[in-house]
Amino acid sequence: MRPPVEVSVLILSLMAPAILFTMNHIPALQEPLPILGMEMVVLGLFLLLLHLLTGRNKMKVDPLFYVFAEFSFACMVGLTNALEQDGFISGFMGFYLKMGEPHLSTAYAVMMSYWEGIVHMVLFLNIIHRMFKGKSYRSLALLWVGSSIAHQIVHIPGVVIGKYGSNIQPPFWRNIPFFLMPFWAASVLFSQRREVPVITADKISVEQKKGLLSRPVDLLLSLLLLGAMAFSVFRGFVVLDCPLDACFTYIYQYEPYLKDPVGFPRVMMMVYLFYAVPLMTVFTYGLQTPGCSWMLDLTLFFAGAMAQTQWCHIGASLHSRTPFTYRVPADKWWPVITLNVLLAVVPALLALRCRTNPAYFMKRVPEGQANDEKKKK
């Protein structure tokens, strides 16, 4: 009896540490171009093994399976890096940090690697399991897409504009396909049919007649979103060197990590200012306007993005690999961490609200009819 596909993917992904250990002890593979070439060969062989695995079982394979499986292998590489940087293991990543991607030793990259190796890996195994069982995996995949895109649009620009930008080696460009694949996956997922529970037209009508004041949960979420928007705009001004006393006080006395020369916190605050704030604005609109069915998907995407970025930001601002002068001061720990945790929790609560009670966001249908179980957007 063959093991489930997700188990096979996990076993193949666990080969990553062994490959890294081997490369770390072969001098010929410790130069930039050989490292890049070896990466391409390993990833290609991994895809070939996956194809043979699924082809032998004569399965009809969703193309997204190969994306999730390839990222699973990368997740194990990331987890290996995080464990080595924190001193739990050794002898795996030395060559790669020296001649490949030295920025992976930063606190931000370590927290990013933990997120990939644990959260993303769990998501991938669950997605692949549901995929081959014929169950819907769209919601889980949207969480990953949001998380992965947010990671990539902070990671790559952060390396380029930060202090490691002058030392970019050829292996860094292996990130390009990992940058593009989540966008392709997002286009596929958003074009798929959304699965929603069967809700009668009468119930939808009752829910959509309620004003915001009659929906205390939505009112609270709206207020929290407004607060998150204000906080994001403020920190955007801070990293843009706004001369206001409040900005000067905040960056030096509360979150000095924002001026860490690694570049990641500055890029993240710009992403929040130009992408997260507009999204939170439309979510506030969606909580007040019935029939905004796009809320059901975008809130999941956004929750994944904010969870990933805030995990990396909070962790890096406290991590021992961040120079002491850039860490959150001990006497300001509670207000700073509380605000940052709320910035991750609010999108998650919004997505949960939309998921558990979607009637307010459903399209209006004629009285007496039920919504189709898999209605298109």
Side-chain angles (χ1 to χ4, degrees):
M1 183 177 180
R2 299 185 185 279
V5 176
E6 65 273 15
V7 174
S8 300
V9 170
L10 176 61
I11 292 172
L12 289 175
S13 298
L14 288 173
M15 294 169 57
I19 294 172
L20 289 170
F21 187 84
T22 302
M23 292 180 67
N24 195 50
H25 292 84
I26 299 178
L29 295 177
Q30 297 185 21
E31 293 295 328
L33 287 177
I35 290 174
L36 179 60
M38 191 63 182
E39 285 179 328
M40 297 300 101
V41 169
V42 169
L43 291 175
L45 288 174
F46 185 77
L47 281 176
L48 179 60
L49 288 173
L50 290 173
H51 178 70
L52 293 175
L53 171 70
T54 54
R56 182 178 296 179
N57 291 341
K58 298 181 180 180
M59 303 173 180
K60 183 180 180 181
V61 182
D62 188 324
L64 286 176
F65 162 72
Y66 295 103
V67 174
F68 300 139
E70 193 85 345
F71 271 92
S72 299
F73 185 87
C75 286
M76 286 298 99
V77 174
L79 184 58
T80 303
N81 174 64
L83 293 174
E84 178 155 332
Q85 301 315 307
D86 278 345
F88 295 106
I89 58 176
S90 63
F92 293 84
M93 297 296 297
F95 79 102
Y96 197 73
L97 294 177
K98 182 179 179 181
M99 304 304 298
E101 298 185 71
H103 65 274
L104 291 179
S105 63
T106 63
Y108 176 89
V110 170
M111 299 309 297
M112 174 187 74
S113 296
Y114 276 125
W115 184 267
E116 288 184 324
I118 299 173
V119 178
H120 281 183
M121 193 67 188
V122 170
L123 279 176
F124 290 140
L125 294 178
N126 276 280
I127 289 170
I128 293 170
H129 171 76
R130 296 184 68 85
M131 181 182 290
F132 284 92
K133 289 292 184 180
K135 300 178 181 179
S136 174
Y137 61 86
R138 188 171 179 270
S139 296
L140 291 175
L142 284 174
L143 282 172
W144 167 74
V145 161
S147 175
S148 188
I149 288 178
H151 152 56
Q152 296 294 348
I153 63 177
V154 173
H155 173 219
I156 293 179
V159 174
V160 174
I161 73 167
K163 70 176 184 179
Y164 292 96
S166 60
N167 189 31
I168 293 178
Q169 302 288 349
F172 171 75
W173 301 111
R174 62 94 185 174
N175 289 292
I176 297 302
F178 288 100
F179 175 82
L180 297 175
M181 282 191 286
F183 286 95
W184 174 73
S187 68
V188 172
L189 291 167
F190 279 113
S191 65
Q192 290 178 355
R193 291 185 176 184
R194 181 191 304 116
E195 290 197 357
V196 294
V198 176
I199 306 174
T200 63
D202 295 338
K203 183 176 180 179
I204 292 175
S205 180
V206 169
E207 286 293 321
Q208 295 186 350
K209 287 177 181 178
K210 295 179 181 179
L212 188 61
L213 295 178
S214 301
R215 294 177 284 119
V217 172
D218 290 352
L219 176 60
L220 178 60
L221 285 171
S222 297
L223 294 174
L224 289 172
L225 283 171
L226 291 174
M229 290 162 60
F231 186 48
S232 298
V233 170
F234 174 71
R235 292 202 298 182
F237 288 167
V238 167
V239 299
L240 288 173
D241 297 325
C242 176
L244 292 175
D245 289 343
C247 296
F248 183 85
T249 300
Y250 187 80
I251 198 169
Y252 281 96
Q253 297 185 20
Y254 288 86
E255 264 197 284
Y257 178 64
L258 295 179
K259 57 187 177 72
D260 191 328
V262 293
F264 300 118
R266 282 181 291 157
V267 173
M268 188 181 297
M269 295 308 109
M270 290 296 94
V271 169
Y272 284 177
L273 182 61
F274 293 111
Y275 295 97
V277 170
L279 275 174
M280 286 188 280
T281 302
V282 299
F283 291 152
T284 305
Y285 168 82
L287 287 171
Q288 302 180 57
T289 308
C292 295
S293 59
W294 43 263
M295 288 279 288
L296 303 176
D297 290 340
L298 278 183
T299 52
L300 278 173
F301 174 89
F302 187 62
M306 294 302 290
Q308 194 276 343
T309 51
Q310 284 302 106
W311 162 266
C312 293
H313 182 75
I314 294 170
S317 67
L318 302 173
H319 200 277
S320 60
R321 284 190 166 270
T322 296
F324 181 79
T325 54
Y326 296 123
R327 295 181 214 165
V328 176
D331 59 335
K332 302 297 192 299
W333 198 93
W334 282 109
V336 171
I337 300 305
T338 299
L339 286 172
N340 276 284
V341 168
L342 282 174
L343 201 55
V345 169
V346 171
L349 292 176
L350 177 62
L352 182 63
R353 181 265 178 270
C354 295
R355 178 81 176 174
T356 56
N357 187 17
Y360 185 78
F361 308 105
M362 302 296 292
K363 294 292 186 182
R364 295 179 183 272
V365 294
E367 293 291 329
Q369 291 185 10
N371 290 319
D372 187 87
E373 186 175 359
K374 295 182 179 179
K375 189 176 179 183
K376 292 184 178 180
K377 299 178 185 178

